[in-house]
Structure formats: C-alpha cells, structure tokens
Amino acid sequence: MDPELPVVRLCVEGMRAEAAGQTGRALGLFQQAWETAADDYEACIAAHYLARHQNSPEETLRWNQECLERADRVGDARVDGFYPSLYVNLGQACRRLGRTALARTYFARAAERVGEAPEGQYGDWNRFAIAEGLRETASGPAGEVFEGEDEADGDIAWRHLDAAVDGRVRELVARWCARADLMVLALTLPAYLGYLGTEGDQVRLRSALHMVHAARRLPDDEQSELGAVIGAAALE
C-alpha cells in the first residue's frame, strides 16, 4: 500500500490509537478514512479497519463483506495479497454467528489463496488462522447459507495432519513449551501451526522437524521420538 495515500495515513494513525487503547479515536479515524476514500481500492482498505471496531457480529460481517466486494471491484494485482485475510475475516465473522458451513467455505477459499499473502509474519499469521478455522469448522452442519451468499462448497481440498502423527507432534511441542526451548519452537511452530495439508506443507513440516533432529540438542527420548515421527508414512 502507498503510505502517502490519505486513507492509508488515516488508517495507520488509527492503528496507533488502537495500540494505545484509544478505541474511540481509532474508530473515528477509520470512519474518516472510509469517508475520504476516493475509489474502491481505498474503500476496501478503510472497510477492513472499520470491521474491527463494530459492536455486533452482524455489523462485523457486513463490513467484512463490504471489504470483499470492494476488493472484487478493484480486480487487479493491488488487492491480490488481501484475499487470504479477507476470507479469514469473513470466516471468523460467520463462525461467531454460528454459520459454520459458510465459515468453512471462506476458510477454504483463504487456503486456496494463502500463497498470495506476503511471506514472513503476515503470511504465517494467515496460515495459522486458516488452519485453526478449518479445524474448528470441520464437523459443522452442512447446507448453511447466509443471505446473499452461495451455499458452502462441497468437498474442500484440505486435510488434517494424520491424527496419530499430530498427537505425537503435539506432545513434543508441549514438552518444548514446558521448558521454553525457544530455538526448537521457532523452527517447528510456523510449519506445524500453519499446516494446510498440501504437498508443500508436508515438505515444510518435515524439513523443520529434520532440522531439529539433525541438531541433536534434544534429550535422548525426545530425539528418538522425533526420529520416529519424521519416519511416519504420513510425512513421506
């Protein structure tokens, strides 16, 4: 985003107010950004921040829908990186309203476009939120539809980490957390928490676990267990 755009400057100032606990001032700045927006691109940016400061889940969903509609109207590369978080926000809003099937659809759409998010912490955050959303909506009722939206997608091309492997990794992570092994956690958590079941995700997780195993800094029992996890068929 161009930091010189008036809308962007207002939103940055609003974020600073938000961080300082000045919620009312932040909302006023985001509202001003919305009123200042000169086109759909700028309105998309402002709507994203307004959605964060609504008092009801219905209004939060409405502003997130507005944000998505404006991004769709822009329709060029400027908004490509927005879509993973736009769909995540819509999924979270629908989940709060109990519309589980539609929420899962949005999380699945986010998963399809997660590669468009910038790499680094922002991209990792999107992966974490998508994986959590898909887990939370995995067993929701089918056929839920929100007014104005299509029905939830059928088969979603996403799968959980094998349950047995997941349990073993969770146990290892719990032990690393208990003793605050920050180096090991820093290597493994992004790949584990952002696991979306693609071939690339498998490679990412396996590589992270291999790096920890190769460092040989774990207690013997954990070193042995980690080796067994890496050799599991689910990660081959």
Side-chain angles (χ1 to χ4, degrees):
M1 292 186 288
D2 182 356
E4 297 306 314
L5 283 175
V7 165
V8 174
R9 289 203 302 267
L10 285 165
C11 289
V12 169
E13 189 177 349
M15 290 172 65
R16 288 173 180 156
E18 185 180 282
Q22 300 169 350
T23 306
R25 181 167 179 269
L27 177 57
L29 287 162
F30 297 142
Q31 185 65 47
Q32 188 180 346
W34 172 256
E35 294 166 358
T36 301
D39 57 23
D40 288 321
Y41 175 70
E42 295 182 7
C44 174
I45 294 170
H48 166 75
Y49 289 101
L50 275 171
R52 292 155 56 99
H53 285 268
Q54 299 307 306
N55 293 322
S56 71
E58 291 82 5
E59 282 299 291
T60 298
L61 178 59
R62 183 177 76 82
W63 278 105
N64 279 315
Q65 288 174 321
E66 181 75 40
C67 186
L68 178 62
E69 288 170 9
R70 296 293 183 140
D72 286 343
R73 290 181 200 173
V74 174
D76 61 39
R78 290 176 297 168
V79 296
D80 286 351
F82 293 180
Y83 277 96
S85 64
L86 293 184
Y87 287 132
V88 164
N89 292 339
L90 281 161
Q92 291 174 338
C94 288
R95 187 172 59 178
R96 292 188 188 103
L97 286 166
R99 302 186 181 276
T100 308
L102 184 56
R104 183 166 174 79
T105 297
Y106 282 129
F107 288 127
R109 290 176 184 169
E112 290 170 358
R113 303 196 65 164
V114 71
E116 298 173 24
E119 294 184 3
Q121 292 179 333
Y122 179 74
D124 283 341
W125 178 88
N126 275 283
R127 280 185 163 275
F128 301 161
I130 294 165
E132 179 186 41
L134 287 168
R135 281 195 300 269
E136 292 293 326
T137 58
S139 59
E144 292 178 342
V145 183
F146 189 68
E147 183 179 354
E149 294 290 346
D150 296 330
E151 291 187 4
D153 293 341
D155 294 331
I156 294 173
W158 178 88
R159 60 187 176 83
H160 296 284
L161 182 60
D162 177 82
V165 172
D166 183 61
R168 296 169 78 174
V169 174
R170 280 180 178 270
E171 176 61 29
L172 286 167
V173 168
R175 295 175 69 172
W176 299 335
C177 286
R179 66 169 181 271
D181 195 331
L182 300 184
M183 182 178 293
V184 171
L185 291 169
L187 284 169
T188 57
L189 283 183
Y192 175 61
L193 294 178
Y195 185 89
L196 297 176
T198 67
E199 184 178 343
D201 291 319
Q202 285 184 306
V203 171
R204 193 165 174 244
L205 180 57
R206 189 169 62 244
S207 297
L209 297 177
H210 264 300
M211 288 177 68
V212 172
H213 191 263
R216 297 192 175 279
R217 54 176 287 136
L218 300 175
D220 289 344
D221 60 334
E222 292 180 15
Q223 188 76 14
S224 176
E225 172 65 1
L226 182 56
V229 168
I230 292 169
L235 286 180
E236 291 297 326

